[in-house]
Amino acid sequence: MQIEIVIKIDDFKDALKTLFASTPKGKQVKTEYFDFFANDGEMTLESQGFSYVCPVEVTTSGRARVPYGVIHSLRPMLAMFDEKSVTVLITSGEFKVGATSITNPEIKILVNESRKAELPIDAPLPMVLELATRFTSQELDDSGLRKRMLEATSKAESILDEVSHLLGSLGITREAIRAFVWHQIKLQFVGDKRAERSV
């Protein structure tokens, strides 16, 4: 499986320029993924809270997920091309621009369409955790959010450990605290008005 397009260098540069201008700086962004969609004469580049569309010649349509490190490496690579257009070929583990390629095992061709979970890069902890109430583990993985969910879950468990230790002397169990936390997360991000009225 592969995606193959021919894109104007200037259009590709504009897409990356817009992407980097819209992406918050910091270590967290380095764990993010970006989706390439190629279909009907267009390429769409998407990440959490970002979308950019530009015209291309589509040889092979499809969808691929590419890690931030690969995208970041494309910018200086494009500066070396004198041609007006270039062929881009994406396969599992490889992103090829002209004759130059970048290999990364996290580059994936996405075959099965599933619901896509979206999340701002600077989303607070409760917002990340709430996704687990609406999406399956596979859907989160397909959306490039598995690492963030694991990190959020680990952090939440550490917080629960601390709170349980403090409130344990009052006879409040960890299970009761966990139930309360999830109830509040659902109130805030799912909008359960019935539960809100009962508080």
Side-chain angles (χ1 to χ4, degrees), residues 3-196:
I3 295 174
E4 185 175 0
I5 62 172
V6 178
I7 184 173
K8 292 181 179 179
I9 294 292
D10 286 343
D11 287 343
F12 209 168
K13 288 180 179 178
D14 286 343
L16 296 183
K17 181 179 180 181
T18 304
L19 182 152
F20 291 124
S22 304
T23 303
K25 303 296 185 292
K27 294 182 179 179
Q28 187 178 26
V29 74
K30 296 181 181 179
T31 68
E32 297 301 314
Y33 292 82
F34 298 86
D35 284 357
F36 280 80
F37 297 85
N39 192 38
D40 293 333
E42 291 182 339
M43 178 195 76
T44 303
L45 178 59
E46 290 186 347
S47 67
Q48 305 301 322
F50 170 85
S51 181
Y52 187 92
V53 180
C54 65
V56 298
E57 295 179 22
V58 179
T59 304
T60 307
S61 62
R63 180 164 68 107
R65 178 152 295 136
V66 181
Y68 174 84
V70 173
I71 303 297
H72 191 267
S73 299
L74 292 176
R75 203 170 187 178
M77 181 188 298
L78 292 177
M80 299 186 296
F81 286 92
D82 295 324
E83 300 89 342
K84 291 185 177 181
S85 299
V86 65
T87 298
V88 175
L89 179 65
I90 307 174
T91 58
S92 292
E94 182 178 24
F95 195 111
K96 190 173 183 180
V97 181
T100 306
S101 65
I102 302 173
T103 58
N104 187 305
E106 295 187 21
I107 299 173
K108 298 179 180 179
I109 299 296
L110 304 178
V111 180
N112 297 322
E113 291 291 335
S114 62
R115 294 187 304 158
K116 182 178 180 181
E118 295 188 351
L119 195 67
I121 291 176
D122 57 351
L125 179 61
M127 184 180 289
V128 180
L129 294 172
E130 184 272 330
L131 289 180
T133 68
R134 295 186 292 115
F135 294 90
T136 66
S137 296
Q138 185 60 52
E139 286 172 336
L140 292 173
D141 192 23
D142 290 344
S143 300
L145 295 174
R146 182 175 62 85
K147 288 183 179 179
R148 289 185 68 180
M149 181 57 69
L150 291 175
E151 291 171 356
T153 301
S154 176
K155 186 173 182 179
E157 290 298 324
S158 295
I159 294 173
L160 283 174
D161 286 341
E162 294 178 10
V163 175
S164 298
H165 178 72
L166 291 172
L167 298 181
S169 59
L170 297 177
I172 302 175
T173 66
R174 182 186 179 89
E175 290 72 21
I177 297 170
R178 182 191 296 276
F180 173 79
V181 169
W182 279 106
H183 177 69
Q184 293 303 312
I185 288 174
K186 290 177 181 179
L187 280 181
Q188 186 174 358
F189 295 103
V190 180
D192 189 340
K193 299 302 182 182
R194 289 176 302 174
E196 185 176 0

